[in-house]
Amino acid sequence: MRIIGIDLSGPSNHKDTVLTVFKRQAGQLTFIKLLSYISDMDILNEIKYQSQIDEVVIGIDAPLSYQDGGGDRPGDKQLRQFIVTLGMKPGSIMAPTLNRMVYLTLRGIKLTREIENLETRNSVSVVEVHPGAIIGSRLLSEDLNYVLTYKQDVTARMFIRNWFKEQNLTNLPDVVQEESHSIDACAAALGAWHWKDESLEPKWLYPANPPLHPFDYSC
């Protein structure tokens, strides 16, 4: 199984879009590669390439649907309540139709449509993830401050990179700690792995509700 984590940014912001690829083996995720500054076509080409090798599971950090009429989706409300119980800030969960989110939502929906239309050798599945919640729900309570500060603080990113090893993500290069987007892409892969692997389970899950919300939402 190949696990791909994607930290997606808006359609015009390729610079902050990061994709990581891991191989599941012997109860671990072994790091394969990190791609940054990437377009939708770069993402699709990598998914297609990995699907020639094995089944592909993709965790995407972006809204993959929106609420008809605007505002929160039911999953957004539940995830916000969940992270508050952990001690995290509710503002990290934003409605997909907010002005600052709407272009990211547009890209997420468009990209998943294109993924579903890819001709692939092996199966490809997609889950919407929230990297902060993935990390925060697995950290010890005394370490929670690292998830609250890693976007601004390289020391926190160094801690989380080392913590990923405890979560059985192996062979991570130092470059992962240089940008929060790389941390998020690795966390997205961790969440997708726990969502898909039958021997594991997510910390939180809102099941897909087609046709308006066609993908599971998980951390």
Side-chain angles (χ1 to χ4, degrees), residues 27-140:
Q28 297 180 330
L29 288 193
T30 301
F31 177 85
I32 301 296
K33 68 172 70 173
L34 182 150
L35 304 175
S36 59
Y37 215 126
I38 49 175
S39 67
D40 291 356
M41 189 54 66
D42 294 327
I43 294 170
L44 294 171
N45 287 339
E46 186 62 33
I47 293 169
K48 189 166 186 177
Y49 171 76
Q50 295 299 332
S51 80
Q52 304 306 306
I53 303 169
D54 205 343
E55 174 188 2
V56 175
V57 180
I58 308 167
I60 301 180
D61 175 22
L64 305 184
S65 66
Y66 65 89
Q67 186 66 15
D68 193 17
D72 283 334
R73 298 168 295 177
D76 298 321
K77 293 179 181 178
Q78 290 193 18
L79 182 55
R80 188 180 296 114
Q81 292 169 354
F82 174 67
I83 67 168
V84 167
T85 67
L86 302 173
M88 296 177 64
K89 298 176 180 178
S92 65
I93 311 294
M94 291 179 280
T97 50
L98 282 179
N99 285 346
R100 64 183 298 185
M101 290 292 291
V102 68
Y103 287 107
L104 175 59
T105 302
L106 174 67
R107 190 180 186 192
I109 292 172
K110 174 179 177 290
L111 182 63
T112 51
R113 181 186 67 192
E114 293 163 344
I115 291 170
E116 290 180 324
N117 288 331
L118 276 178
E119 294 183 6
T120 59
R121 178 175 296 175
N122 290 291
S123 66
V124 175
S125 54
V126 174
V127 60
E128 180 179 339
V129 296
H130 188 281
I134 290 165
I135 298 168
S137 61
R138 291 168 175 80
L139 280 175
L140 297 175

Side-chain angles (χ1 to χ4, degrees), residues 4 24 94 99 103 111 119 124 162 167 177 199 203:
I4 293 177
R24 186 189 68 171
M94 291 179 280
N99 285 346
Y103 287 107
L111 182 63
E119 294 183 6
V124 175
N162 290 329
Q167 307 304 306
Q177 66 200 26
S199 67
K203 295 295 185 179

Side-chain angles (χ1 to χ4, degrees), residues 160-174:
I160 292 172
R161 174 183 170 269
N162 290 329
W163 173 83
F164 279 143
K165 298 176 186 176
E166 299 174 15
Q167 307 304 306
N168 295 316
L169 272 61
T170 64
N171 292 347
L172 288 174
D174 290 345

Side-chain angles (χ1 to χ4, degrees), residues 180-194:
S180 65
H181 302 293
S182 301
I183 292 288
D184 285 340
C186 290
L190 173 62
W193 177 33
H194 286 204

